[in-house]
Amino acid sequence: MRKSTAEAFELPLYRYIGGVNARTLPVPMMNILNGGNMQIIMLISGIHGYPAGAPSFAEALRYGAEVFHSLKSVLKKKGYNTSVGDEGGFAPNLKSNEEALL
């Protein structure tokens, strides 16, 4: 609905959602790891001055996808299940919260 409304006003979607002062697309966020006491670990692929410093939304999305696939490789090497959980992240049975951050 928002996209069609933005098109009707001949505005980019980010400008319609963000208002007249919107200058960039939202920062991509991805759920990469679920479960345990920590519940969810999110990856935020920043744009321009944000943490990851991606030059564009497309590059930030690519950064996130590469991290997701690299994490899958690490989990496989450690013998963990690489099925994706309900919320889109991996849901291995880790030994501790600390292990999720290593």
Side-chain angles (χ1 to χ4, degrees):
M1 177 86 173
R2 289 182 182 183
K3 185 173 182 183
S4 59
T5 305
E7 288 173 358
F9 285 109
E10 297 180 355
L11 291 171
L13 182 59
Y14 73 91
R15 177 73 41 87
Y16 174 74
I17 293 171
V20 295
N21 293 321
R23 299 286 180 257
T24 60
L25 290 167
V27 174
M29 293 175 49
M30 299 173 185
N31 176 351
I32 59 169
L33 202 56
N34 303 324
N37 294 333
M38 196 170 283
Q39 291 304 310
I40 296 174
I41 294 180
M42 299 289 292
L43 173 68
I44 301 174
S45 298
I47 301 171
H48 302 298
Y50 294 97
S56 67
F57 185 89
E59 282 295 296
L61 190 59
R62 184 179 66 79
Y63 291 0
E66 288 179 2
V67 168
F68 187 85
H69 290 288
S70 293
L71 176 59
K72 182 175 183 175
S73 295
V74 169
L75 292 172
K76 269 185 154 179
K77 284 180 188 172
K78 291 186 174 192
Y80 285 114
N81 183 346
T82 56
S83 298
V84 176
D86 293 342
E87 295 156 349
F90 296 109
N93 188 18
L94 299 175
K95 296 174 187 81
S96 67
N97 289 335
E98 290 78 16
E99 187 178 10
L101 300 173
L102 297 177

